[in-house]
Amino acid sequence: MGKIEWAMWANEQALASGLILLTGGIVGVAGQFRGWQFAAYAIAAGAFVCLLEYPRSKRTKGTSVERTGQYCFTVCVKSFGPLTRNYYVRAFLHAALSVPAGFLLATVLGCVCLGIASLIYLAAAIRGEHWEPILPKKEMVRKPDDSMKNPPQNPPPRPPPETRRKRVDDLEGAAYDNPIPVGE
Amino acid sequence: MGNFAANEGLSIFVILVWLGINAFLFVHFYMAFLLERWFYTRVLLGQALSWARAPAACLNFNCMLILLPVCRNLLSFLRGTIQCCSRTAARQLDRNITFHKLVAYMIAFHTAVHIIAHLFNFEYFMDAQLNRNSSLLPFVLSEIGSGDNASFLNPIRTNNTSPTIVLFTTIAGLTGVAITLALILIITSSMEVIRRSYFEVFWYTHHLFVIFFIGLVFHGAGRIVRGQTLPSLQTNDPEVCSTRVEEWGNNGSSCAVPKFAGNPPQTWKWVLGPMILYVCERIVRFYRSHQKVVITKVVMHPSKTLELQMKRKGFHMEVGQYVFIQCPSVSRLEWHPFTLTSAPEEDYFSAHIRIVGDWTQALYEACAGDQTEPQDAWKLPKIAIDGPFGTASEDVFRYEVVMLVGAGIGVTPFASILKSVWYKRIQNNQDVFTKKIYFYWLCPETEAFEWFADLLQSLEAQMTEKGVMDFLSYNIYLTRWKEKEAAHFRVHHEAENDPITGLKQKTLYGKPNWDNEFSNVAAKHPGCI
């Protein structure tokens, strides 16, 4: 288990929590429950968490799989610099966001799930992980090597004339037979 | 279209039956709560009662189903018994994990509907207690049973509380929160990204299902959903008495005060059977893991492939099966599946293991694969085996003409099949039903050929000796090569043996033209495929 990047799981958990907060909030507002103001808050908090967590981080080892269309979100999240890069900030942010949702039944599940996500982010931060944006690689312009600039000055070395003589008995096979081996 | 129906027909039928049962249970239980018994409950809750109870029934059904596809020993046993009747039915059992996932999605969906409906229910129950006006029927109903605390309708007994507090002080609420959290954690750790990269997180978190099932069984123990008792229906007919609330309990009135009780929990009836089956499955796996397995030989092949030859008393396999291997000195909890590459006719069984991750690397070091001197047998690590489990390759010998296609390391089941072919046909000279085998192997790089090429070489030599060259026709396709290698191939084009594999049949380059291949084979063997 040593190689796990906890942030990946924290990210999935936080995204799920955002959706649950959002759903709970919508139910609270639509049903006009007592304390629907907490539900309205949960809609805003849930949407914010979803937007923050949608872009996946680049993995330190291995291939990173992007979510569909995450590039614009990556750019937005990247622009906050160290606030979004650091997972301690995220852990405390999620913990703080989850607290008001605990006061209404409809959003209490979202609150607990976000709390768990915050704990996993804390574990990730303690292990030194941080968020890296997944950006498209720039096209590398291939320059030809220096040695290819000059044409060869001397003809290639040839074996002595005896070995160069063609085998008349097997012309077909002789065509493929090189006196000097090709490749390794 | 006909092919699609033949291949997928039974799967689609199973899915439709499953969806049909879900729909039936949903509608049936929805209607069941529209009966007379629940009249007063519906006065408080409206349609939200039915919307909560219907998905609950579907949840019972799906939670029963979800444990069954992962009992692999049971499935192996079923596979063996069904094989004689219907091959397509047996093939459905190969899709057990897909079905497990479908049922899981359905559980998640029904959980969402159930929770949202209960959110409304809690709100309505609370409303009934808060609007303390004796002329309101909901309030009157909520006051019933305040004396003996047994015949009440509204599970919220005072107005001094909130739905959240009630959630955490009732059995149903507490178990509900616990199992929903377990479900959410199971789902987020089962996402493909996590599963493929960190299987351990997925596997260990998945064991939260134990909490899920225990909580599920106790979820209804509080009997929080209450309807009118049958004796009470005789003395208080809701149709008549609901408009005559002032008369209830008065001398001479035909309406007594109604009494309510909760239903006994039903879930255990659905899930107890599969839970017992699953416990038996784990016991079988545990028992099998303690049977002694001895490593008889360790072979290091090029391109980081480790071959382990093992023996176990009473081990019996078929071609193309796989086993789960555990090495306690590497990890006590990890079991990894590997295809068996030996034939049933041999006195040992073997698996070829590619060294790609931390477990395989540790296994390689434990088996002293990195050392060149011979090791004493007792120094080799203890190994445990679970299996063998069946796959589709078992059917190979039932057909007259067989096309086998393998890509990269996926060719391993065919190692077992070809070896078995060799033993059956050449050594014992048995008359096998299979008359001709076409074997296609697609590979991206030359290094992967070595260990399998040895097998093909020996097969080829044996076939030439016995003069049965045309029994096996194999085509190896190299799909990636470097420039330097290409020059080498061009030069040695005319050599008798293939420059890469050393075999008589030449390696081909690129991907096969399947249309050509299929039509050629079909033309040569009309009526057989």
Side-chain angles (χ1 to χ4, degrees):
Chain A
M1 282 252 264
K3 296 196 196 69
I4 175 168
E5 284 177 45
W6 291 104
M8 284 182 69
W9 185 24
N11 173 266
E12 299 287 332
Q13 179 71 14
L15 189 61
S17 314
L19 289 170
I20 294 172
L21 264 181
L22 195 57
T23 314
I26 292 176
V27 168
V29 167
Q32 292 170 340
F33 291 174
R34 259 178 309 280
W36 62 270
Q37 294 87 345
F38 288 110
Y41 161 80
I43 295 181
F48 171 70
V49 166
C50 284
L51 291 172
L52 175 62
E53 297 291 341
Y54 191 71
R56 278 210 185 101
S57 165
K58 192 153 151 208
R59 288 169 62 174
T60 32
K61 256 173 67 173
T63 37
S64 318
V65 180
E66 280 194 332
R67 291 204 175 97
T68 344
Q70 81 168 38
Y71 181 62
C72 10
F73 297 97
T74 310
V75 170
C76 295
V77 172
K78 184 163 105 78
S79 61
F80 285 92
L83 276 183
T84 44
R85 208 177 116 89
N86 189 309
Y87 281 148
Y88 280 110
V89 171
R90 267 200 213 200
F92 289 125
L93 177 69
H94 286 327
L97 281 176
S98 67
V99 169
F103 290 100
L104 178 65
L105 183 65
T107 51
V108 89
L109 187 66
C111 160
V112 180
C113 287
L114 196 56
I116 293 179
S118 152
L119 285 172
I120 309 178
Y121 264 128
L122 191 61
I126 292 176
R127 290 189 75 245
E129 298 173 25
H130 59 265
W131 188 83
E132 274 289 328
I134 303 181
L135 297 166
K137 274 206 271 284
K138 285 191 268 291
E139 277 295 316
M140 301 269 291
V141 179
R142 280 188 46 188
K143 283 183 7 201
D145 291 343
D146 277 348
S147 65
M148 284 178 54
K149 293 228 180 80
N150 300 320
Q153 308 290 348
N154 297 318
R158 288 188 182 279
E162 299 78 55
T163 41
R164 254 188 289 152
R165 202 165 294 133
K166 275 227 193 287
R167 296 185 344 229
V168 287
D169 45 5
D170 179 18
L171 276 174
E172 274 262 14
Y176 297 102
D177 209 1
N178 274 338
I180 304 173
V182 174
E184 28 239 6
Chain B
M1 194 57 206
N3 284 338
F4 179 76
N7 286 335
E8 307 291 335
L10 189 55
S11 305
I12 296 191
F13 176 71
V14 167
I15 303 282
L16 285 177
V17 167
W18 169 67
L19 285 174
I21 297 180
N22 271 293
F24 166 75
L25 284 171
F26 196 94
V27 171
H28 176 81
F29 278 82
Y30 193 95
M31 310 292 279
F33 283 84
L34 298 179
L35 296 176
E36 203 63 16
R37 248 196 95 196
W38 304 96
F39 183 90
Y40 288 122
T41 323
R42 284 201 308 282
V43 165
L44 290 186
L45 301 178
Q47 293 293 311
L49 171 69
S50 286
W51 277 106
R53 302 304 308 155
C58 292
L59 277 172
N60 284 337
F61 174 61
N62 285 302
C63 290
M64 172 184 82
L65 284 183
I66 197 149
L67 282 177
L68 299 175
V70 286
C71 297
R72 38 171 199 261
N73 283 300
L74 172 68
L75 290 180
S76 254
F77 170 72
L78 277 178
R79 217 178 185 282
T81 34
I82 298 183
Q83 279 256 332
C84 30
C85 310
S86 159
R87 280 196 291 270
T88 17
R91 244 192 31 234
Q92 291 312 308
L93 294 173
D94 290 337
R95 302 197 180 164
N96 53 337
I97 299 294
T98 314
F99 188 64
H100 180 80
K101 289 186 208 171
L102 270 179
V103 175
Y105 287 137
M106 194 59 112
I107 288 181
F109 170 70
H110 281 303
T111 304
V113 177
H114 182 77
I115 292 181
I116 292 178
H118 272 318
L119 287 176
F120 281 94
N121 286 341
F122 267 75
E123 192 67 17
Y124 294 152
F125 275 144
M126 200 67 224
D127 276 343
Q129 284 287 2
L130 289 178
N131 298 333
R132 300 187 85 81
N133 185 336
S134 296
S135 60
L136 292 175
L137 183 53
F139 178 60
V140 172
L141 288 170
S142 305
E143 287 285 277
I144 293 176
S146 300
D148 57 357
N149 248 355
S151 53
F152 58 87
L153 169 60
N154 190 335
I156 304 185
R157 302 305 309 140
T158 109
N159 60 338
N160 247 354
T161 178
S162 81
T164 318
I165 297 177
V166 173
L167 178 78
F168 287 108
T169 50
T170 47
I171 297 181
L174 269 175
T175 49
V177 168
I179 66 183
T180 311
L181 273 179
L183 184 67
I184 292 174
L185 283 171
I186 289 177
I187 291 180
T188 53
S189 65
S190 310
M191 293 278 109
E192 182 147 4
V193 161
I194 308 284
R195 222 169 59 229
R196 296 245 176 263
S197 321
Y198 312 115
F199 197 80
E200 291 89 346
V201 168
F202 156 69
W203 181 236
Y204 297 148
T205 318
H206 231 70
H207 281 81
L208 284 172
F209 77 86
V210 174
I211 298 183
F212 181 84
F213 273 91
I214 295 178
L216 190 66
V217 168
F218 287 107
H219 190 55
R223 307 193 187 207
I224 201 173
V225 176
R226 307 175 75 89
Q228 205 171 352
T229 58
L230 290 174
S232 172
L233 271 174
Q234 313 288 335
T235 54
N236 182 321
D237 182 359
E239 296 274 306
V240 170
C241 297
S242 51
T243 43
R244 298 203 244 145
V245 182
E246 326 72 48
E247 286 179 22
W248 287 0
N250 290 346
N251 283 345
S253 103
S254 52
C255 295
V257 176
K259 291 197 197 314
F260 301 95
N263 282 342
Q266 303 286 317
T267 306
W268 67 272
K269 297 180 193 164
W270 292 84
V271 297
L272 191 64
M275 278 168 78
I276 291 178
L277 274 176
Y278 189 74
V279 167
C280 290
E281 160 78 21
R282 292 302 281 252
I283 292 177
V284 166
R285 288 189 205 176
F286 181 75
Y287 167 70
R288 278 177 148 187
S289 72
H290 279 259
Q291 294 191 298
K292 193 154 171 237
V293 175
V294 170
I295 302 182
T296 53
K297 199 164 164 192
V298 175
V299 183
M300 261 321 288
H301 291 276
S303 59
K304 306 210 301 186
T305 307
L306 173 76
E307 179 188 348
L308 285 181
Q309 293 183 4
M310 298 165 273
K311 278 198 214 231
R312 190 183 82 180
K313 210 163 105 173
F315 186 84
H316 173 71
M317 62 171 278
E318 303 281 335
V319 284
Q321 290 198 302
Y322 65 95
V323 290
F324 278 79
I325 299 184
Q326 182 217 32
C327 187
S329 58
V330 170
S331 165
R332 290 205 66 86
L333 294 167
E334 290 180 45
W335 291 79
H336 294 272
F338 292 98
T339 312
L340 291 168
T341 45
S342 57
E345 288 84 1
E346 291 168 328
D347 63 347
Y348 63 86
F349 62 95
S350 72
H352 282 70
I353 303 171
R354 277 263 310 269
I355 302 170
V356 267
D358 52 349
W359 187 84
T360 39
Q361 177 71 26
L363 182 70
Y364 161 69
E365 280 156 23
C367 292
D370 44 356
Q371 291 166 24
T372 43
E373 325 76 50
Q375 298 287 315
D376 292 320
W378 55 268
K379 286 213 190 101
L380 292 173
K382 194 161 93 89
I383 293 267
I385 296 284
D386 189 15
F389 300 108
T391 63
S393 320
E394 289 174 334
D395 306 339
V396 146
F397 294 114
R398 293 166 189 255
Y399 296 91
E400 239 184 73
V401 180
V402 176
M403 279 181 88
L404 307 172
V405 181
I409 197 65
V411 78
T412 27
F414 302 127
S416 169
I417 295 173
L418 292 178
K419 275 201 226 180
S420 186
V421 154
W422 179 58
Y423 278 109
K424 280 195 167 70
R425 179 68 184 246
I426 313 293
Q427 274 197 343
N428 305 340
N429 217 2
Q430 272 172 27
D431 226 358
V432 285
F433 186 63
T434 315
K435 295 276 176 282
K436 175 88 186 171
I437 298 185
Y438 291 93
F439 178 60
Y440 294 86
W441 188 19
L442 284 64
C443 216
E445 39 182 25
T446 53
E447 291 95 58
F449 281 98
E450 284 93 348
W451 71 268
F452 198 70
D454 289 339
L455 167 66
L456 287 178
Q457 262 182 339
S458 75
L459 262 182
E460 197 178 42
Q462 296 283 339
M463 289 201 298
T464 338
E465 221 180 271
K466 307 272 177 169
V468 281
M469 278 303 299
D470 57 349
F471 174 63
L472 171 66
S473 147
Y474 50 87
N475 307 281
I476 304 175
Y477 287 85
L478 181 63
T479 51
R480 244 190 264 159
W481 56 85
K482 302 201 235 321
E483 280 301 316
K484 278 197 282 241
E485 293 168 347
H488 186 71
F489 304 150
R490 261 198 301 266
V491 163
H492 285 96
H493 183 74
E494 283 301 306
E496 197 184 311
N497 285 354
D498 187 77
I500 305 173
T501 58
L503 296 163
K504 291 225 180 334
Q505 292 194 21
K506 291 295 167 61
T507 308
L508 303 153
Y509 302 99
K511 292 191 206 144
N513 185 336
W514 288 117
D515 290 333
N516 274 353
E517 300 291 334
F518 288 146
S519 31
N520 284 344
V521 173
K524 275 201 218 134
H525 303 272
C528 282
I529 299 190

